[in-house]
Amino acid sequence: MAKSAKPSGSAQRQLRIGEVIRHALAELLARGDIHDEVLAKHVITVPEVRLSTDLKLATCFVMPLGGGDVKPVLKALNDHKRYIRGEIAHRVNLKYAPDIRFLQDESFAEAERVDALLYSDKVRRDILKQPLRIGQDEGTQQAEPDDE
């Protein structure tokens, strides 16, 4: 019997709890509950929180708005990691409060890289190429006039 394409129940739970933790962390940062000068100066986005399979480690991907000062923000978040873990444990009802790890979110850089690839001359040339008709060779495609 073939395996189902659906994610298993634990994967769904990881995603769901990661989203709850992401919301709790974003609320903490937005309300200014963490008293730190660096964190107070920056608007920080939390695009994703990934949980380990045993739900004991939460990796929080963060990025300051505009992408600047990533290292000081990560250092400030790591300095207050214990407080943040406690606050999240109060807001999220779990058997164990997950340990929290902060990493720089690189999804924006990856999106820019994919955009640059899609707008490159090589890909643009392939997109603008007219599709082949059934029974037509590539060499004869350009010689036939359009239907218009």
Side-chain angles (χ1 to χ4, degrees), residues 13-107:
R13 187 164 188 227
Q14 283 175 272
L15 292 172
R16 186 172 44 85
I17 293 172
E19 192 64 16
V20 171
I21 290 173
R22 187 182 76 81
H23 280 274
L25 179 60
E27 187 180 324
L28 266 176
L29 293 170
R31 289 178 45 183
D33 291 345
I34 306 166
H35 301 289
D36 188 280
E37 286 185 29
V38 174
L39 296 178
K41 288 181 188 174
H42 294 87
V43 176
I44 301 168
T45 57
V46 186
E48 183 179 7
V49 173
R50 289 186 196 157
L51 276 168
S52 62
T53 53
D54 59 0
L55 306 177
K56 291 185 177 178
L57 176 65
T59 304
C60 304
F61 294 93
V62 295
M63 177 63 85
L65 194 63
D69 299 334
V70 175
K71 286 184 179 179
V73 167
L74 286 175
K75 183 183 179 320
L77 287 170
N78 282 316
D79 289 346
H80 297 281
K81 186 181 349 185
R82 189 173 176 170
Y83 172 75
I84 293 170
R85 181 181 181 205
E87 287 296 314
I88 288 176
H90 286 288
R91 295 168 192 229
V92 179
N93 190 16
L94 290 174
K95 187 173 183 179
Y96 300 103
D99 193 21
I100 295 178
R101 180 173 58 181
F102 292 101
L103 293 178
Q104 177 183 354
D105 179 50
E106 295 177 349
S107 62

Side-chain angles (χ1 to χ4, degrees), residues 124-132 138 141-142:
R124 182 174 293 181
R125 182 186 63 221
D126 290 344
I127 290 173
L128 294 177
K129 195 185 270 185
Q130 292 183 357
L132 290 175
E138 282 188 39
Q141 179 185 8
Q142 299 296 331

